[in-house]
Amino acid sequence: MGDEDKHTGETKPGQKSRDELIRGSWTSIKSQDSLSLKEKLEKLLTIAREAKKAPREPAAAKNDQKGFFPSISGFRVFENRFPAEFSFGRVRLASAEKIGGEVLALLSRDDSFKELSLNSALFLDLETTGLSGGVGVIPFLIGLGFYDRGNFEVRQFFLGEPAAEEAMLVELDRFLRSLAFSSIITFNGKGFDLPILETRFTLYRLPFDLSRRPHLDFIYPARQLWKHRHESCRLCHLAQQVLGADRLDDIPSSEVPVRYFNYLRSGDFSWVEPVIEHNQQDLLSLLGVVVAGAEVLTAGMGVAELDGFDLVGLARIMEAAGKLETSRELLEKALNRGIPEPLAQGIKQKLAWYWKKKRQWEKAIQVWEELAPAGKLACYRELAMFYEHRLKDYERARELAASGLELAAGRSRSYEQDFLRRLDRLNDKIRRQRLMSG
């Protein structure tokens, strides 16, 4: 008897249907006031995993472009294809083919990417039963994106029945081996997606080869590129602000676990249809922001095309890659491209640190003297150090330390203590200097 024959949906006389069992269990669990919502949902998931009957057949997907394979032992595989000329926001999918390995290596800080391209990469995004990770969290929707003959393919493994998790992961493993992706692209995948997926593979004694592939977790370069420009670096926000993509009807990530548990309780597929669309949007958003970030780096070859914000983001990427001289040049140019004063002050302090390291004291002092009256305690400290140790002008150093102490009072305990110790030392030096001169 085949797998489909095993799940006819019939109920033996005297036996509760799966829906009745889960609905009754949920009624009981909800009444347990001592449990948190998360604990209640976890108990419901355990019951759903033990249920033997398959869930009610979902209706066909509303999106005509999206196909799905028949249910196999309690899970489904959805497939969608986007042609190269398709645009997500302002980014055409074909643009990914122009991104070279050098740019990917800079974004990832991994030289393994120098010989790679996005054409052979796997874009990965999970939807799970919990948002904080952990052994008990199950990835019920595993979204994959990849290029195939110029098209961008989205394939989503959906766990319709928790008891079928092992079967789904075996099929996923077979699929991953069949295409042999050369690298992985995620958004917070190092801290969330890959550890969860590896835990589930290990649970079922399956090899997890993805962990050995070069990995670009784009959340880190995204923050370097855009944190100073946008109030949020969440993927959905960047898709709207950087790509101009319309995700206004998208569901928030916090709804995802609850929607899945409602689906398990009711068998109503409409609960998870928005989750499947959300996951697909995340994959397209991830591809889009990677392309947009790579375009900033590519445009950096001809800096005239970039505004001040882009120059700052590019400088931070270069600094993280150890290219400090290039980073310094970009920051100097950014100061002349109309950036807000708070950001400009931070850049000036960074440049002053660079000039101090290079012993270009005149440039460093100019910045410290400019920013000290604006309440920058570090600048008072640097000036006091310079006059004490470089010029041996103890009187001027004491004046600066006293000004710094007055400013630090009630604001910074560490700076207060630093200036107090400095004043004691300077007073002692001045006293000894006067004795020697007298």
Side-chain angles (χ1 to χ4, degrees):
M1 180 180 293
D3 287 333
E4 293 183 0
D5 293 329
K6 294 178 184 178
H7 300 296
T8 62
E10 296 178 357
T11 306
K12 296 178 181 180
Q15 181 183 29
K16 286 186 177 181
S17 71
R18 178 181 179 277
D19 287 354
E20 291 173 336
L21 173 63
I22 295 177
R23 192 177 298 111
S25 300
W26 179 239
T27 301
S28 175
I29 292 170
K30 279 200 302 184
S31 65
Q32 300 178 33
D33 296 335
S34 61
L35 298 178
S36 65
L37 176 60
K38 180 181 178 182
E39 290 169 333
K40 292 176 182 179
L41 293 175
E42 287 175 347
K43 290 189 70 172
L44 179 65
L45 178 59
T46 301
I47 293 171
R49 286 175 61 88
E50 295 172 353
K52 300 299 183 182
K53 297 297 179 181
R56 183 185 309 163
E57 286 292 311
K62 293 180 179 178
N63 184 354
D64 292 337
Q65 292 182 336
K66 180 177 290 185
F68 64 87
F69 299 102
S71 179
I72 305 174
S73 301
F75 71 88
R76 294 179 178 275
V77 183
F78 295 87
E79 190 177 57
N80 205 352
R81 174 176 297 172
F82 297 87
E85 59 271 18
F86 178 83
S87 292
F88 187 73
R90 67 172 181 82
V91 171
R92 289 181 66 249
L93 300 191
S95 302
E97 297 181 3
K98 302 176 184 177
I99 299 174
E102 290 286 342
V103 170
L104 294 175
L106 277 174
L107 289 171
S108 63
R109 283 183 277 171
D110 184 350
D111 287 342
S112 301
F113 275 95
K114 287 184 176 180
E115 306 301 323
L116 303 177
S117 71
L118 294 182
N119 286 331
S120 59
L122 175 69
F123 292 78
L124 173 69
D125 184 65
L126 305 182
E127 307 301 335
T128 65
T129 57
L131 301 177
S132 58
V135 176
V137 173
I138 295 175
F140 68 85
L141 182 60
I142 301 172
L144 310 175
F146 55 93
Y147 278 93
D148 182 31
R149 294 188 290 270
N151 300 313
F152 188 69
E153 304 276 348
V154 172
R155 192 160 297 190
Q156 297 165 291
F157 289 72
F158 173 68
L159 186 61
E161 169 53 62
E165 184 185 15
E166 182 177 7
M168 186 180 78
L169 294 181
V170 168
E171 178 64 18
L172 173 63
D173 179 58
R174 184 203 64 76
F175 171 73
L176 293 175
R177 289 175 182 274
S178 70
L179 292 187
F181 299 102
S182 62
S183 63
I184 305 174
I185 315 291
T186 67
F187 200 85
N188 197 30
K190 289 183 179 179
F192 187 79
D193 300 76
L194 251 61
I196 287 178
L197 204 54
E198 185 169 14
T199 296
R200 307 316 293 180
F201 269 65
T202 301
L203 178 65
Y204 296 109
R205 299 181 181 179
L206 294 171
F208 191 67
D209 294 333
L210 290 182
S211 61
R212 294 195 286 270
R213 301 284 189 273
H215 183 183
L216 167 55
D217 187 343
F218 198 71
I219 193 172
Y220 302 108
R223 289 170 176 168
Q224 291 164 342
L225 286 166
W226 296 306
K227 186 176 181 180
H228 55 280
R229 185 196 286 268
H230 300 295
E231 62 183 31
S232 170
C233 280
R234 294 176 59 223
L235 182 58
C236 62
H237 185 85
L238 292 177
Q240 294 172 337
Q241 299 298 315
V242 176
L243 307 179
D246 181 8
R247 293 193 59 168
L248 298 178
D249 295 330
D250 189 21
I251 62 170
S253 297
S254 57
E255 277 189 20
V256 168
V258 176
R259 282 183 168 271
Y260 183 60
F261 284 115
N262 283 339
Y263 160 75
L264 290 178
R265 178 180 58 81
S266 66
D268 184 354
F269 192 71
S270 65
W271 277 109
V272 290
E273 282 181 327
V275 177
I276 293 171
E277 181 63 24
H278 168 86
N279 180 255
Q280 179 171 267
Q281 292 287 306
D282 274 353
L283 288 168
L284 291 170
S285 297
L286 175 57
L287 171 61
V289 295
V290 170
V291 171
E295 287 176 346
V296 172
L297 268 66
T298 303
M301 309 300 179
V303 170
E305 301 178 22
L306 301 179
D307 65 18
F309 285 106
D310 284 337
L311 287 171
V312 173
L314 181 56
R316 288 174 174 171
I317 292 287
M318 293 301 176
E319 180 184 8
K323 300 179 182 295
L324 300 183
E325 186 65 27
T326 302
S327 176
R328 191 267 307 168
E329 292 173 358
L330 291 167
L331 290 177
E332 287 184 311
K333 289 182 172 68
L335 290 175
N336 299 318
R337 299 280 174 94
I339 57 177
E341 186 58 28
L343 178 59
Q345 289 182 0
I347 290 173
K348 289 175 182 178
Q349 283 189 266
K350 183 179 285 291
L351 288 172
W353 172 86
Y354 173 86
W355 288 320
K356 174 185 176 182
K357 188 176 181 181
K358 294 294 184 179
R359 295 182 177 276
Q360 296 179 10
W361 296 109
E362 185 175 345
K363 289 184 175 181
I365 290 170
Q366 182 179 352
V367 171
W368 294 332
E369 289 181 341
E370 175 189 345
L371 296 183
K376 300 297 182 181
L377 292 170
C379 294
Y380 277 109
R381 182 176 181 273
E382 292 291 349
L383 286 170
M385 291 170 60
F386 174 77
Y387 279 97
E388 177 183 359
H389 301 297
R390 300 292 304 174
L391 299 186
K392 308 298 182 183
D393 186 344
Y394 304 137
E395 294 283 358
R396 178 59 179 152
R398 183 170 65 175
E399 291 175 7
L400 290 162
S403 297
L405 176 62
E406 183 179 358
L407 186 64
R411 287 180 53 187
S412 171
R413 180 65 176 165
S414 61
Y415 271 108
E416 277 190 74
Q417 293 175 342
D418 179 276
F419 286 126
L420 284 170
R421 288 193 299 268
R422 194 171 303 280
L423 283 169
D424 285 342
R425 185 175 64 250
L426 286 166
N427 284 328
D428 186 57
K429 286 183 177 182
I430 290 171
R431 193 163 42 249
R432 281 184 289 158
Q433 190 179 57
R434 288 174 178 173
L435 286 174
M436 291 177 62
S437 63

